[in-house]
Amino acid sequence: MFPPLTRRRAAVAALTAALLVPLAACGTADEKPAAGPTSGSAPASAEPKAANLTVLAASSLTDVFKTAGEAYRKAHPGTKITFSFAGSQELAAQVKQGAPADALVTADTKTMDGLKAETGEPTVIAKNRLVIATGKGNPFKVDELRDLADAKLKVVLAAPEVPVGRYSKQILDAQKIEVKPVSQEPNVRAVLSKVELGEADAGLVYKTDSAKSGDKVVTVDIPDEQNAVASYPAAALKQSKNAEAAAAFVAWLSTPEAQKILQDAGFQKV
């Protein structure tokens, strides 16, 4: 026979144990059930919402981006991309003026670096090199950079504030070649057009642009040691109203699919 005090303690202990059993089964209020898949949960790599994107791009990307844009639209139904092509310096001016756009791709890192306050983190998506484009049949037998110094030649270059113009000046200065152009154009396409139309005998353009001209011009390669490499950075714009979709397009430009399109067009592998 237990003393009265001992019996009371045993009863309290039994009651406490009985109360704890259901609490242990239910769990505490702060505990959460383990996360598991639900029918309404979205995967981490969910497709961005469809959007109408405006992409500002360097003139030398005109042809390849038309192909790339169509490939992107097929892979992302509902997304529409409108490209606006111009010299990189013109595009930079548009961005600074607040032109409605979602992404930017320039033909040099210098221009992009000057827009750090307006862009997200840029990624180089392609590279290019310069060539000499001469008139059909190369009647003046231009074979190397030094030939452009011939006073008989009508040479056209891009303006020095344009990436291709800056690259042109860089390689000519490095070889100590003085060229007096008959005109300085606002973008590489304008330079190429002058040569195609016979308004100039030769000009310095990107390899990819000259290749698209077919037999309208003759392409003269420039040795690597005398050449310059043009890098093409892409970035989403902070002013974009379609930030997620803009970032998705910029990221896509580095995918194997996009890189194949760029390399098939003559751009160098990054």
Side-chain angles (χ1 to χ4, degrees):
M1 203 65 185
F2 293 111
L5 181 58
T6 303
R7 287 200 299 272
R8 283 198 300 272
R9 287 177 177 172
V12 170
L15 178 60
T16 301
L19 290 173
L20 287 175
V21 171
L23 287 176
C26 296
T28 66
D30 292 333
E31 290 176 349
K32 295 180 179 179
T38 62
S39 59
S41 61
S45 57
E47 179 75 15
K49 293 180 180 178
N52 292 334
L53 297 178
T54 297
V55 178
L56 307 179
S59 295
S60 49
L61 294 166
T62 300
D63 297 305
V64 70
F65 262 19
K66 289 178 181 177
T67 302
E70 185 58 33
Y72 190 79
R73 282 190 287 266
K74 287 181 179 179
H76 302 78
T79 294
K80 178 183 177 183
I81 302 180
T82 300
F83 293 104
S84 178
F85 300 103
S88 295
Q89 80 290 349
E90 293 180 45
L91 301 177
Q94 292 177 33
V95 171
K96 286 184 176 294
Q97 291 166 7
D102 302 289
L104 170 70
V105 189
T106 62
D108 66 335
T109 55
K110 182 177 180 179
T111 300
M112 185 67 81
D113 287 346
L115 297 169
K116 289 182 178 179
E118 289 84 12
T119 70
E121 187 66 26
T123 301
V124 173
I125 55 99
K127 292 187 177 182
N128 214 339
R129 286 182 180 271
L130 271 63
V131 296
I132 303 169
T134 71
K136 190 172 183 178
N138 193 6
F140 289 91
K141 307 302 179 187
V142 175
D143 294 319
E144 58 180 351
L145 275 176
R146 198 162 298 281
D147 292 338
L148 298 181
D150 189 339
K152 297 176 184 177
L153 279 181
K154 292 186 292 183
V155 178
V156 62
L157 301 173
E161 63 268 18
V162 184
V164 68
R166 188 160 54 249
Y167 293 132
S168 298
K169 184 178 187 306
Q170 175 185 326
I171 65 176
L172 291 170
D173 288 351
Q175 300 301 312
K176 296 181 171 53
I177 300 172
E178 184 178 356
V179 175
K180 296 181 179 179
V182 294
S183 69
Q184 293 183 316
E185 302 300 321
N187 58 66
V188 68
R189 283 308 176 96
V191 173
L192 188 62
S193 178
K194 291 275 187 180
V195 179
E196 288 177 340
L197 295 172
E199 297 176 13
D201 302 316
L204 287 172
V205 300
Y206 294 121
K207 184 176 182 177
T208 53
D209 289 287
S210 187
K212 291 295 293 184
S213 289
D215 61 359
K216 293 180 182 178
V217 302
V218 171
T219 299
V220 178
D221 289 327
I222 300 170
D224 287 349
E225 62 271 17
Q226 298 178 9
N227 216 326
V229 177
S231 294
Y232 290 71
L237 294 174
K238 292 179 181 179
Q239 67 193 29
S240 171
K241 295 181 179 179
N242 305 291
E244 185 182 359
F249 174 72
V250 169
W252 178 83
L253 291 172
S254 294
T255 64
E257 180 185 8
Q259 287 297 300
K260 185 179 186 305
I261 293 171
L262 287 161
Q263 288 162 34
D264 286 349
F267 287 88
Q268 292 180 251
K269 187 176 181 180
V270 176

